[in-house]
Amino acid sequence: MYLSKTFICVLLAATALCCGCSQRDDMVGEERQATVESQEALVTFRLQTNATTVAGTRSAEDSYQHVQGTADEYKVTTARVYFFDAPTKLFAKTVVLKELKRQGSDANGNIVYETERVAVPQGTYDIFVTANTDRVLTTTTEEAFLADIDSTTYVRAQIDDISGGVVMTNRASANLATVLRNSREVNDENVVSVTLERVLARIDIAKSRETFELTDDNGRQYASVTLDGHYIVNLPKYYYSFRHTAVLTTLEVPQWDVNEHFGNINDVNGYVIDPDFFKKTIDASQFTNDDKYYEHFATDSNSPAAISWTAFKPVAETPQYNTAYCLENCALQPAQKNGYSTGVIFRARMEPYNNVYQLAANGELTLVTDKQAYPEVLYYWNYNFYDSAAALSKAVGGTVTGQNLDMYRAQKFEKSDDGYRCYYKYWIRHLDNYKNTTMGVMEFGVVRNNLYRLLIANVSGLGSGDGETPIDPDTPDEGETYLKVVLNVKPWIVRDLTDIVL
C-alpha cells in the first residue's frame, strides 16, 4: 500500500511537470510565430501600363500627342517580381504574380492592375518586374541581372501577332531602395506602384491615296506612281530586358550605373542603348551582321525580287494602317546611317504620262503614241522618258551608257509583268531636329514603347529604278528622298513630326 501511494505521488508529479512543459512549449511556439510575422511584409503590387498618354513636352521622352492603345497592347496577364537587397545588390527573392485584378484606369490614361498580397521578408529592396513572359532571369547580382540580353523571346524581329500580350518591364531605376516593413507595423499597407513599358515599338504604315501624280516645275504632269508594297529593314533580334540609356559624345561604353543609365533619356546627348549599339561605328560598311543581329538586313535587300512585300490596305477616309512591332534600334549621331537604322522600302508602279520619245530615222526625237509599244527599258531625264540610250543621248547632247547615267542625272526603269517599277526608302525618325542638313542626337532610331506612324501624304519625284533599291550602308540617314511623309511618333509615346519631305 505504501509503495502504491509513493508511485501515485511520483506519477502525479511527473504529470504536472509534463503539463508545465507543454504550456511552456505552447508559449514558445506563439513567441516564434509572432517573431516570424513581425519580420514578414505583406505586399500589394499596383501595376500600371500605358493605354493613352497625356500630352507632354517635346523631348527625347515626351511629345505633343497621344493615341489609344489596343487591349492586346496594354493587357497584363502574369508578372514576375525580382527582389535584390538594396545595400548589397545581391539577389534575394522572386515572386510570380498571377491573380491580377484590373482596377480600371487612372487620370493619366494608365490601365491599373492590382495583385493579391504576397509575403516578403521585411527589408529594403531594388525591385524589378517583367510581365507577359515565362522567361526567368537567373543571377546572383543586380549588375548581371540588368545586363541580360534576350534573344529568345521574340525569335522573329518583325512581330505581327501580339495576342498573347507584349513583354513589358519597369524602368530599372524607378523602384530602387523600396522599404518593405513588417505588416503589423504598417497595418498591411505595403503597396508598391510599378509602371510597365513595352519592350516593343510599333510601326504603322499607310498611304493617303492610291495613285500620286508627279508634276514638273510648271505643274505639267509627267508620270504617276502607285505605291503597292512596303518592306521594313534593319530589324534587331536582341534586346536588353531592361532599357539602357546613356549620355554619350563618343562611342565609349560607360560604366553602367542603375541610377544613371536605366531611367529617362537625357535631352542633351542622351541615347537609348541597344545590345549592338557600340558595334555601330561611323564606318557602317564594316558592319557584317555575321551574328544575324538584324533580320531583313538593309544591304541584303538590294534585290527586290527576293523581298516579300507587304501590300497596303485599301485607302479610306480614315487611313487604314498596316501595323508591325519590332525591337529598339539606335546608333550614335555620326553612325545614324542606312547600314544601321530601321527603315522602310516602298515599292511603286510607275507610268509615264504621254512623254516617251524615240529616235526616228531622220535623227529627230518623236513621241511614241502607242503605250503598247513602250520598250522593256525606259530612260528618264528632265521630266521625259526615252526608249533607248541613243534617244537619251540625243536629248542630253552627249553619249549616255548604262554606266554613266548618274553623270547626266538620268535614270533607267525596267518593265515587269505589272509595269515599270520604282522604289523609295525612308529611315524612321525618332526626334526630328528640323535641320535637313544637320544630323541630330537620337534623330533616327526606334525606341521601345513608342509608336511610329507613317502616312504617305505625297510623292514629289521618281524613286530609284533599274530593278534595284541600292542601299549604301555609309549613306547618312539625313538626306533627300521624294516621299512626303506625315510621320507621327506616338506614345504609346507620341511625337508630332508632320509634313516631312524626305
Side-chain angles (χ1 to χ4, degrees), residues 31-85:
E31 288 174 353
R32 285 176 179 169
Q33 181 66 26
T35 301
V36 170
E37 288 184 357
S38 70
Q39 295 175 347
E40 186 177 76
L42 296 177
V43 186
T44 299
F45 284 91
R46 184 169 292 132
L47 306 179
Q48 301 170 160
T49 180
N50 176 249
T52 62
T53 301
V54 296
T57 304
R58 186 176 183 276
S59 69
E61 284 292 345
D62 302 310
S63 62
Y64 297 122
Q65 299 185 19
H66 61 86
V67 67
Q68 180 69 37
T70 67
D72 286 340
E73 290 171 351
Y74 57 68
K75 71 181 179 184
V76 179
T77 55
T78 61
R80 182 180 292 270
V81 184
Y82 297 86
F83 298 87
F84 287 82
D85 180 66

Side-chain angles (χ1 to χ4, degrees), residues 318-367:
T318 301
Q320 301 296 306
Y321 289 93
N322 287 321
T323 294
Y325 301 88
C326 65
L327 299 170
E328 62 193 1
N329 181 28
C330 299
L332 194 71
Q333 182 178 357
Q336 291 177 162
K337 295 184 175 181
N338 294 182
Y340 301 130
S341 298
T342 299
V344 185
I345 302 173
F346 294 96
R347 184 181 70 170
R349 295 193 308 272
M350 183 277 295
E351 184 175 346
Y353 191 74
N354 300 323
N355 56 347
V356 177
Y357 292 88
Q358 62 185 350
L359 188 62
N362 63 2
E364 297 298 321
L365 292 171
T366 61
L367 188 67

Side-chain angles (χ1 to χ4, degrees), residues 204-209 212 227 312 315-321 346 426 452-458 483-488 497-500 502:
D204 287 354
I205 302 173
K207 57 183 180 180
S208 62
R209 56 185 184 272
F212 299 88
L227 295 172
F312 282 95
V315 171
E317 185 175 338
T318 301
Q320 301 296 306
Y321 289 93
F346 294 96
Y426 173 75
Y452 301 85
R453 178 165 286 177
L454 283 68
L455 173 63
I456 308 303
N458 197 15
L483 292 182
K484 182 178 182 181
V485 179
V486 175
L487 171 65
N488 291 316
L497 306 178
T498 59
D499 298 327
I500 299 173
L502 303 175

Side-chain angles (χ1 to χ4, degrees), residues 99 111 114 162 175 258 267 322 328 460:
E99 299 298 325
I111 302 297
E114 202 162 278
I162 58 161
N175 297 97
V258 69
D267 285 338
N322 287 321
E328 62 193 1
S460 60

Side-chain angles (χ1 to χ4, degrees), residues 250-292:
T250 61
L251 200 65
E252 184 176 344
V253 183
Q255 294 295 314
W256 298 108
D257 176 83
V258 69
N259 292 289
E260 282 188 48
H261 301 115
F262 293 88
N264 294 340
I265 311 172
N266 195 297
D267 285 338
V268 179
N269 294 323
Y271 290 91
V272 166
I273 310 297
D274 63 64
D276 258 29
F277 186 94
F278 295 99
K279 292 183 181 179
K280 302 170 191 175
T281 69
I282 59 172
D283 299 317
S285 58
Q286 303 303 309
F287 191 87
T288 61
N289 199 41
D290 288 341
D291 58 358
K292 302 301 179 185

Side-chain angles (χ1 to χ4, degrees), residues 466-501:
D466 69 18
E468 292 188 352
T469 54
I471 296 176
D472 179 356
D474 283 321
T475 299
D477 297 331
E478 187 83 75
E480 180 184 2
T481 70
Y482 297 107
L483 292 182
K484 182 178 182 181
V485 179
V486 175
L487 171 65
N488 291 316
V489 186
K490 294 177 173 288
W492 287 2
I493 293 175
V494 185
R495 298 176 208 290
D496 183 9
L497 306 178
T498 59
D499 298 327
I500 299 173
V501 178

Side-chain angles (χ1 to χ4, degrees), residues 91-269:
F91 174 75
K93 184 180 179 68
T94 184
V95 174
V96 177
L97 307 175
K98 291 184 177 180
E99 299 298 325
L100 304 178
K101 297 180 180 179
R102 181 171 166 178
Q103 303 296 315
S105 58
D106 62 17
N108 292 322
N110 294 312
I111 302 297
V112 179
Y113 297 86
E114 202 162 278
T115 71
E116 299 292 337
R117 292 184 300 174
V118 295
V120 179
Q122 67 173 341
T124 302
Y125 297 101
D126 293 344
I127 296 176
F128 310 104
V129 181
T130 62
N132 299 333
T133 176
D134 295 329
R135 185 170 180 265
V136 181
L137 282 66
T138 56
T139 184
T140 57
T141 67
E142 188 173 294
E143 180 182 11
F145 177 83
L146 294 176
D148 176 76
I149 296 173
D150 191 343
S151 59
T152 60
T153 302
Y154 292 110
V155 178
R156 298 300 304 272
Q158 182 172 324
I159 299 99
D160 298 309
D161 180 13
I162 58 161
S163 57
V166 177
V167 175
M168 303 184 192
T169 63
N170 64 328
R171 293 275 176 93
S173 63
N175 297 97
L176 302 178
T178 301
V179 178
L180 301 179
R181 301 168 63 189
N182 71 76
S183 295
R184 287 187 175 183
E185 187 176 324
V186 296
N187 296 320
D188 293 343
E189 290 299 323
N190 284 302
V191 179
V192 178
S193 293
V194 176
T195 299
L196 297 171
E197 60 181 5
R198 309 162 186 84
V199 302
L200 297 179
R202 171 176 149 184
I203 300 175
D204 287 354
I205 302 173
K207 57 183 180 180
S208 62
R209 56 185 184 272
E210 289 294 339
T211 300
F212 299 88
E213 296 178 354
L214 305 184
T215 58
D216 62 18
D217 296 336
N218 297 316
R220 179 182 68 91
Q221 183 178 346
Y222 66 92
S224 64
V225 295
T226 301
L227 295 172
D228 62 359
H230 57 81
Y231 183 79
I232 306 175
V233 297
N234 287 344
L235 295 173
K237 298 176 68 173
Y238 313 146
Y239 66 99
Y240 282 119
S241 295
F242 292 86
R243 194 182 78 162
H244 289 46
T245 64
V247 173
L248 300 173
T249 55
T250 61
L251 200 65
E252 184 176 344
V253 183
Q255 294 295 314
W256 298 108
D257 176 83
V258 69
N259 292 289
E260 282 188 48
H261 301 115
F262 293 88
N264 294 340
I265 311 172
N266 195 297
D267 285 338
V268 179
N269 294 323

